[in-house]
C-alpha cells in the first residue's frame, strides 16, 4: 500500500511540479524499516534454501563433496545476484563467489557465450554451485591433494591458498564439528582422514 503511494507521489512529482519533494521524502521514510529487514531476511532464507538444494544436487550423494561445497559457500558468503569487485579488476560472482577470471574457461567448457555464463554465475545458484564444484574438482585432479585444491579454488598463489584453506577449515568445523573427516568407529573409511 505504501509503495503504491510512493509510486503515485513520484508520478505526480514529475507531472505536477506543485507537489513538494518534501512530501515524497516523508512518504519514503514512512516505510517501516522492520518490513524491509523482514523482506531481506525472508529472501536470504529462500536463497539459502535454494543454495542448499543446489549443493545437495551437485554433490550427488557424496558427503565429502557436499561438505566441501558448504565450506566454500560459508567462506565466500555470496548471494544470488552478487558481483563483488576485487582490487585486480575481477569480480566474485554469486553465492560461491566464483571469480570472473573463470568466465572464459567456463564458456569454453559449456560452449555458451561469456555474457551468458557471467549472468548465470550471478543469478543462477545451481549454475554457480556447479561451476564451483568443477573448479574445485579440477584443482583436485591437478594437485591430487584435497587441501591444496581448496586453496586453488581461491588463488594460484601459495600463501593465499594456505590462508584461504585455514579459513575454510574453520567454517567446516563450525558447520560440521571438529571430527569433520575423521575415521568413524564403524563403517567404511572416509575419503579424508585428517584436517590441517
Amino acid at each position: 500500500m505504501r509503495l503504491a503511494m510512493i509510486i503515485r507521489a513520484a508520478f505526480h512529482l514529475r507531472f505536477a511540479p506543485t507537489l513538494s519533494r518534501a512530501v515524497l521524502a516523508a512518504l519514503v521514510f514512512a516505510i517501516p524499516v522492520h518490513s524491509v529487514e523482514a523482506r531481506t531476511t525472508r529472501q536470504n532464507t529462500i536463497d539459502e534454501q535454494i543454495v542448499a538444494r543446489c549443493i545437495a544436487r551437485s554433490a550427488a550423494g557424496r558427503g565429502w563433496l557436499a561438505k566441501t561445497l558448504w565450506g566454500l559457500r560459508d567462506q565466500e558468503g555470496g548471494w544470488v545476484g552478487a558481483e563483488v569487485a576485487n582490487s585486480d579488476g575481477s569480480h566474485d560472482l554469486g553465492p560461491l563467489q566464483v571469480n570472473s577470471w573463470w568466465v572464459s574457461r567456463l564458456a569454453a567448457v559449456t560452449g555458451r557465450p561469456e555474457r551468458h555464463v557471467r549472468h548465470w554465475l550471478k543469478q543462477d545458484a545451481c549454475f554457480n554451485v556447479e561451476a564451483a564444484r568443477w573448479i574445485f574438482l579440477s584443482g583436485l585432479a591437478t594437485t591430487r591433494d584435497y587441501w591444496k585444491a581448496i586453496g586453488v579454488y581461491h588463488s594460484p598463489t601459495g600463501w593465499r591458498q594456505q590462508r584461504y584453506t585455514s579459513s575454510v577449515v574453520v567454517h567446516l568445523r563450525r558447520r560440521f564439528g571438529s571430527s569433520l573427516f575423521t575415521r568413524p568407529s564403524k563403517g567404511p573409511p572416509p575419503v579424508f582422514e585428517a584436517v590441517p
Side-chain angles (χ1 to χ4, degrees):
M1 170 87 167
R2 291 184 186 189
L3 186 57
M5 290 173 36
I6 292 168
I7 292 169
R8 277 195 297 273
F11 177 80
H12 287 294
L13 184 59
R14 179 179 172 148
F15 295 105
T18 58
L19 185 62
S20 165
R21 290 189 190 272
V23 171
L24 180 58
L27 288 172
V28 168
F29 289 113
I31 296 175
V33 173
H34 63 83
S35 68
V36 172
E37 290 171 355
R39 271 190 300 248
T40 302
T41 301
R42 277 193 306 274
Q43 187 59 49
N44 290 345
T45 301
I46 291 167
D47 286 352
E48 203 62 19
Q49 291 169 351
I50 292 168
V51 170
R53 284 193 299 270
C54 296
I55 287 175
R57 186 176 88 188
S58 185
R62 292 174 296 218
W64 66 271
L65 185 54
K67 288 177 180 180
T68 302
L69 292 170
W70 274 114
L72 296 173
R73 195 270 175 279
D74 290 346
Q75 170 62 32
E76 294 296 342
W79 60 93
V80 174
E83 183 172 1
V84 179
N86 296 313
S87 60
D88 65 0
S90 68
H91 292 86
D92 291 336
L93 308 171
L96 275 80
Q97 295 285 273
V98 173
N99 191 279
S100 59
W101 182 86
W102 290 100
V103 169
S104 62
R105 287 145 193 85
L106 291 165
V109 167
T110 61
R112 301 296 184 163
E114 288 184 23
R115 71 181 188 282
H116 292 171
V117 169
R118 185 182 184 94
H119 175 78
W120 294 332
L121 284 170
K122 283 175 50 179
Q123 302 298 336
D124 183 334
C126 287
F127 186 85
N128 186 275
V129 169
E130 285 293 326
R133 175 185 169 270
W134 181 81
I135 293 165
F136 167 73
L137 291 177
S138 296
L140 186 58
T142 301
T143 65
R144 315 227 8 103
D145 179 295
Y146 177 83
W147 298 110
K148 180 87 170 157
I150 292 282
V152 166
Y153 178 84
H154 175 68
S155 173
T157 308
W159 68 268
R160 286 187 173 143
Q161 292 172 0
Q162 290 172 348
R163 187 177 67 188
Y164 185 82
T165 299
S166 295
S167 186
V168 169
V169 167
V170 169
H171 287 289
L172 285 167
R173 286 182 174 153
R174 189 176 297 141
R175 182 179 281 271
F176 298 108
S178 60
S179 61
L180 177 62
F181 292 128
T182 58
R183 184 182 301 275
S185 59
K186 294 183 179 181
V191 176
F192 308 104
E193 295 182 359
V195 290

